[in-house]
Amino acid sequence: ETEINLEIPFSPDGHIPYVDFDNGERVSFLSGSNSTYRFSSRTSDGLFTNNGVLVKGEATISPDRNVAYKNGYSAITSVLKIDDINENHLFAITHNEQRKSPEESDTFTATIGLLESFDRGKSWKDNGVIIQGQDPVEPGKRVSGAGQPCAIVRSEGGRKYAQIYYIDWASGDKIKASDQ
């Protein structure tokens, strides 16, 4: 066995979402080290070619210091192909962290965002925050907000929907109040 170093510490930061296309292409999105990397292969082996060589990856999204809700971290956690007419049209669900400073990764405010791509995930349009959590607080106080999402596609009445599961880091008081 050959050891492969992707030079992506803390990877994967969750499961590795992927999308299969009609032409046999599989596109995988590996998140870690504050970025999400896109890997494309013509095989169902995912990140590796038929002869076991890692396919070339490219960074596709990263944190943006100019956008407060994702100034410390932003990564794709789920990729959805729900457009029956244009299979190049994808949606991605992201975990984002607003931090007081880049080094303060233990007290962030998390949000869940929505991205959209029309080129199989090579580039993304940021559609902003879709879930904020029950009682987010400003960064630097504690972990708060909503994050670590996972989305699945379900069909109902001929329409497709994304169902999102996530963690809400609400304060203890908020949790007790909602349980009563």
Side-chain angles (χ1 to χ4, degrees), residues 106-124:
D106 60 342
T107 57
F108 57 83
T109 303
T111 55
I112 297 170
L114 178 67
L115 302 177
E116 189 173 11
S117 174
F118 290 93
D119 58 7
R120 295 184 179 210
K122 293 176 187 170
S123 63
W124 296 94

Side-chain angles (χ1 to χ4, degrees), residues 19-80:
V19 179
D20 289 330
F21 294 95
D22 292 342
N23 68 355
E25 178 185 23
R26 173 171 283 178
V27 176
S28 303
F29 298 88
L30 178 69
S31 295
S33 301
N34 290 338
S35 293
T36 297
Y37 299 85
R38 180 187 184 276
F39 295 86
S40 176
S41 177
R42 293 250 177 231
T43 174
S44 61
D45 292 337
L47 297 175
F48 297 90
T49 63
N50 286 330
N51 59 1
V53 176
L54 181 71
V55 298
K56 184 179 179 193
E58 58 194 356
T60 185
I61 73 158
S62 297
D64 186 341
R65 300 217 187 281
N66 298 315
V67 180
Y69 77 88
K70 59 181 182 175
N71 71 356
Y73 184 86
S74 184
I76 292 174
T77 60
S78 297
V79 179
L80 310 169

